[in-house]
Amino acid sequence: GIGEELDLVDVPWFGAEADADKTAPLKPGGKVEHDADVGAVIVGFDRNVNYYKIQYAQLCINENPGCQFIATNLDEVTHLTDAQEWAGNGSMVGAMRGCTGKEPRLVGKPDPFMIKYLEEKYGIPSRKRICMVGDRLNTDIRFGVENGLQSCLVMSGV
């Protein structure tokens, strides 16, 4: 997950599963205290999203000067079980858009951020040598098409 990726590059973080049980004090005088040093809020899929997390994140984005609002993806739905589609990360990003009035910096598909990083890191001479394999037209294949990659739609579902 995101936490493991941040650990790999020594970026301190908090939230995710660690805050699953935290609750917002919804009573007279109740408020959520937040860290004024937070410089970015990353919205990735969270099976434990709750009102405390939304409030904490909106305080950081709205009150911390220069705090970045970053989204890993805008997927409308995800597949957590074989019985139905479930609300995806786009619903969580939408909650943050709604309470901040701000648009996130997208760092996942179909945004070119990822392919630019990979090109630079691995010295890829031509994007035509890359094939994006995926199961979603609106993210995976769109990522390939918009970024000059070959693409292969596998139709397997998430």
Side-chain angles (χ1 to χ4, degrees), residues 62-116:
N62 285 335
E63 296 185 8
N64 294 2
C67 185
Q68 303 268 334
F69 172 19
I70 300 168
T72 61
N73 69 74
L74 302 175
D75 293 353
E76 295 90 0
V77 296
T78 190
H79 299 89
L80 301 176
T81 70
D82 62 356
Q84 67 187 113
E85 292 184 328
W86 295 78
N89 196 56
S91 65
M92 296 168 206
V93 173
M96 295 313 305
R97 280 180 174 144
C99 62
T100 65
K102 297 181 179 173
E103 289 296 317
R105 168 68 168 105
L106 181 63
V107 296
K109 301 170 292 186
D111 190 80
F113 176 86
M114 185 174 13
I115 194 64
K116 289 177 183 176

Side-chain angles (χ1 to χ4, degrees), residues 17 21 51 57 68 89-90 118 124 136 144 151:
E17 291 80 21
D21 296 328
Y51 199 68
Q68 303 268 334
N89 196 56
L118 292 171
I124 298 170
R136 289 182 184 225
S151 61

Side-chain angles (χ1 to χ4, degrees), residues 24-63:
L26 301 175
K27 58 186 178 187
K31 66 183 204 173
V32 171
E33 298 291 338
H34 77 286
D35 184 342
D37 292 328
V38 170
V41 171
I42 303 173
V43 180
F45 185 74
D46 184 350
R47 293 174 191 234
N48 300 299
V49 68
N50 60 42
Y51 199 68
Y52 170 85
K53 292 179 180 185
I54 293 170
Q55 176 64 1
Y56 194 103
Q58 79 82 16
L59 288 169
C60 292
I61 293 168
N62 285 335
E63 296 185 8

